């Protein structure tokens, strides 16, 4: 006879056709429920990973991986600092910048904006702004020419086109000098700029508020005499920025302020993480419900097989062996559903780019309308640790679902079960 005996009997029960229709139906529903839950969870999380990666790329297309900023006297020798940073491990680019909060005006329209001074020759090391130009060229930012490049949303709000003149208003550096009251400088600086280009990064946080000018022109507005407000860094591995930036700052003396992409966009990525967590919990409930169905199915099997259990107990089978029989049956149903869901989920996740357009063609609708969304295709990114976690969680739930029915079957008293046989 096949050994071990509990596994042999459990497999026979799974293949048995003598079970009631209702028990078999619940077993199949349980298996399909686990399959659907695992497949849906893997697919949805992979799509959310893809969307997160797409938005992260768009946010960082004009933003650096990290920044080191400080007072003008700390950055007076910024070319030397930049050269030292470039020699650090993992650093692939360094560029100076000045960020100024101000207002842009054209006619009667005024909009709050972030005016960023950059060096066009060095900026390409840390951002891809040149690749996002809709109109004009990034190299049109020439020192002293008072040119400005606007985000597409900002240009639309101001109804500004290339060649138009706009007014830039920024507060002067509050250093407690003449005209300052309680640290607030009351002398704003106003200057006219000519729109020389429009960019579109695909992120509202940039397109609606950002205006780019040459570093020297921004320095004139800020009154820093050519000294930048900080240095922007780019790493070969974006996820190394939160760790490496403080280390680089310490190597430079630890006097500069440190920031990175995970800090500057903390609220956005925190919201994405919360959304992914809640979606995972909601979809995992499908698997949990299917696991409860396994409990119901096994309880009915135990009631149906009370006579068989009693006979097996009388010929020497121990309660532990009885537990093994029903755990084998429940685990086989659950694990088959979980592994089938794993295969289906991976197939869907890896082929989202093909499946979604096909379904859009059948339904005649667009998931991401290109007239509304910047992202027109649904991205997907499979992360194997997440896939393994989802699958293992489903397997563990199915094992836990078999415990109570198995213990109930092992508690069957042979004499009581065979009394009326």
């Amino acid at each position: 006879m096949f050994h071990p005996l509990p596994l042999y009997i459990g497999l026979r029960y799974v293949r048995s056709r003598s079970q009631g229709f209702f028990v078999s139906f619940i077993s199949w529903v349980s298996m399909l429920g686990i399959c659907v839950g695992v497949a849906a969870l893997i697919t949805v999380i992979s799509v959310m990973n893809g969307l997160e990666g797409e938005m992260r790329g768009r946010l960082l297309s004009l933003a650096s991986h990290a920044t080191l900023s400080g007072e003008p006297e700390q950055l007076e020798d910024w070319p030397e600092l930049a050269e030292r940073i470039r020699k650090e491990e993992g650093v692939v680019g360094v560029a100076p910048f000045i960020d100024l909060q101000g207002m842009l005006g054209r006619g009667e329209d005024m909009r709050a904006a972030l005016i960023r001074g950059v060096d066009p020759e060095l900026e390409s090391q840390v951002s891809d702004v040149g690749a996002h130009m809709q109109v004009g060229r990034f190299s049109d930012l020439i020192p002293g020419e008072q040119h400005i490049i606007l985000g597409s949303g900002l240009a639309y709000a101001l109804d500004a086109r290339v060649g138009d003149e706009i007014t830039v208003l920024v507060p002067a550096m509050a250093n407690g000098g003449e005209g300052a009251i309680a640290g607030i400088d009351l002398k704003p600086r106003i200057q006219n700029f000519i729109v020389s280009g429009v960019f579109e990064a695909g992120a509202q946080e940039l397109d609606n508020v950002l205006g780019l000018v040459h570093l020297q022109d921004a320095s004139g507005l800020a009154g820093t005499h050519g000294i930048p407000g900080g240095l922007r860094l780019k790493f070969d591995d974006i996820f190394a920025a939160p760790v490496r930036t403080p280390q680089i700052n310490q190597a430079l003396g630890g006097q500069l302020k440190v920031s990175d992409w995970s800090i500057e966009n903390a609220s956005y990525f925190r919201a994405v993480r919360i959304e992914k967590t809640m979606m995972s919990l909601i979809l995992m409930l499908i698997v949990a419900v299917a696991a409860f169905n396994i409990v119901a199915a096994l309880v009915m099997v135990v009631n149906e097989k009370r006579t068989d259990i009693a006979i097996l107990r009388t010929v020497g089978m121990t309660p532990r062996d009885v537990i093994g029989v029903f755990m084998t049956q429940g685990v086989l149903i659950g694990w088959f559903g979980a592994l089938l869901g794993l295969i289906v989920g991976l197939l869907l996740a890896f082929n989202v780019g093909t499946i979604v357009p096909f379904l859009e063609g059948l339904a005649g609708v667009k998931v991401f309308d290109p007239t509304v969304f910047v992202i027109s295709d649904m991205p997907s990114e499979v992360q194997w640790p997440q896939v393994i976690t989802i699958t293992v969680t489903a397997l563990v739930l199915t094992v836990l679902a078999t415990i109570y029915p198995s213990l109930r079957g092992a508690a069957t008293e042979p004499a009581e079960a065979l009394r009326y046989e």
Side-chain angles (χ1 to χ4, degrees), residues 20-317:
F21 169 78
F22 192 60
V23 175
S24 299
F25 176 74
I26 291 181
S27 299
W28 279 102
V29 169
S30 304
M31 184 187 70
L32 291 176
I34 293 173
C35 173
V36 170
V38 171
L41 193 49
I42 291 174
T43 305
V44 170
I45 293 300
S46 297
V47 171
M48 295 185 72
N49 290 337
L51 292 172
E52 181 184 7
E54 183 75 17
M55 291 306 301
R56 182 171 59 238
R58 291 177 182 274
L59 285 172
L60 297 180
S61 62
L62 298 184
S64 57
H65 293 176
T67 60
L68 294 172
S69 57
E71 299 299 326
E73 56 269 18
Q74 295 175 308
L75 293 162
E76 201 167 356
D77 297 325
W78 70 265
E80 180 184 347
L81 285 175
E83 193 59 35
R84 289 173 60 185
I85 294 172
R86 288 189 183 95
K87 295 178 181 179
E88 293 286 339
E89 181 182 357
V91 178
V92 296
V94 181
F97 77 99
I98 296 178
D99 277 350
L100 301 172
Q101 299 288 343
M103 301 288 291
L104 298 184
R106 181 174 181 271
E108 297 181 355
D109 293 325
M110 292 288 291
R111 290 290 185 275
L114 171 65
I115 297 95
R116 176 172 295 164
V118 297
D119 186 332
E121 295 183 0
L122 298 176
E123 185 66 15
S124 60
Q125 296 182 16
V126 297
S127 73
D128 301 324
V129 60
H132 296 282
M133 295 296 297
Q134 281 190 325
V135 183
R137 296 174 301 175
F138 187 51
S139 58
D140 291 338
L141 294 181
I142 302 171
E145 294 291 333
Q146 306 301 118
H147 286 176
I148 186 170
I149 296 175
L150 302 176
S152 58
L154 191 56
Y156 178 80
L158 293 170
D159 193 24
R161 298 173 177 79
V162 172
D164 290 344
E165 184 177 85
I166 64 173
T167 301
V168 177
L169 184 150
V170 298
M173 296 285 287
N175 50 19
E178 182 182 355
I181 298 177
I184 302 175
D185 197 324
L186 302 179
K187 291 183 177 179
R189 289 190 171 93
I190 301 174
Q191 203 162 3
N192 292 329
F193 280 75
I194 302 298
V195 178
S196 62
V198 176
F199 69 83
E200 183 175 15
Q204 292 185 356
E205 294 83 353
L206 300 172
D207 294 338
N208 292 348
V209 298
L210 184 60
L212 301 174
V213 300
H214 195 279
L215 182 67
Q216 289 188 18
D217 297 336
S219 176
L221 278 171
T224 60
H225 308 290
I227 301 174
L231 299 173
R232 306 172 71 200
L233 283 62
K234 185 175 183 179
F235 295 85
D236 54 3
D237 179 11
I238 182 175
F239 296 103
V243 177
R244 291 288 295 127
T245 309
Q247 295 173 352
I248 292 173
N249 183 42
Q250 289 300 318
L252 298 176
Q255 300 299 314
L256 300 176
K257 297 177 182 178
V258 175
S259 184
D260 60 71
W261 65 271
S262 65
I263 297 174
E264 294 169 358
N265 302 286
S267 58
Y268 169 76
F269 290 110
R270 189 182 302 114
V272 172
R273 280 197 302 272
I274 293 173
E275 187 176 356
K276 288 169 65 175
T277 301
M278 295 307 299
M279 187 64 69
S280 299
L281 291 175
I282 291 170
L283 292 177
M284 190 56 74
L285 288 177
I286 300 176
V287 180
V289 170
F292 280 118
N293 286 339
I294 292 178
V295 175
L298 287 182
V299 167
M300 286 187 286
V301 171
V302 168
N303 291 332
E304 185 181 287
K305 303 294 184 181
R306 282 171 58 85
T307 302
D308 294 357
I309 295 171
I311 294 172
L312 291 172
R313 289 291 307 280
T314 58
V315 298
M317 179 173 277

